[in-house]
Amino acid sequence: MNASELRGKSGDELREALLELLKEQFNLRMLMGSGQMVRPHLFGQASKNIARIKTVITEKKRASENS
């Protein structure tokens, strides 16, 4: 997921994607806690994607405030 792709989405689409990633991160955290985690790199990817989405949401908020 690129930041440039995210910038093309609307605020509602970004919030939906953020919610899905938070659910995925929770599920990965539960798998990691129970020792069933097969691919631990997915947890890092989910965290980075969440940060990207939050950054784009913040950029859009600031842009709308300055306009």
Side-chain angles (χ1 to χ4, degrees), residues 1-23 46 48-64:
M1 193 176 309
N2 294 337
S4 59
E5 293 174 4
L6 294 173
R7 287 186 182 99
K9 294 186 177 185
S10 69
D12 291 333
E13 291 173 335
L14 288 171
R15 282 187 282 280
E16 288 176 16
L18 179 62
L19 184 60
E20 290 175 21
L21 282 171
L22 289 171
K23 288 179 183 180
K48 289 178 183 179
N49 286 334
I50 289 169
R52 282 187 192 104
I53 290 175
K54 286 184 175 183
T55 300
V56 172
I57 289 173
T58 303
E59 287 174 355
K60 287 185 179 253
K61 282 183 184 177
R62 288 184 180 167
S64 67

Side-chain angles (χ1 to χ4, degrees), residues 18-31:
L18 179 62
L19 184 60
E20 290 175 21
L21 282 171
L22 289 171
K23 288 179 183 180
E24 178 183 345
Q25 185 183 38
F26 175 77
N27 290 333
L28 291 170
R29 192 179 307 127
M30 292 296 114
L31 286 174

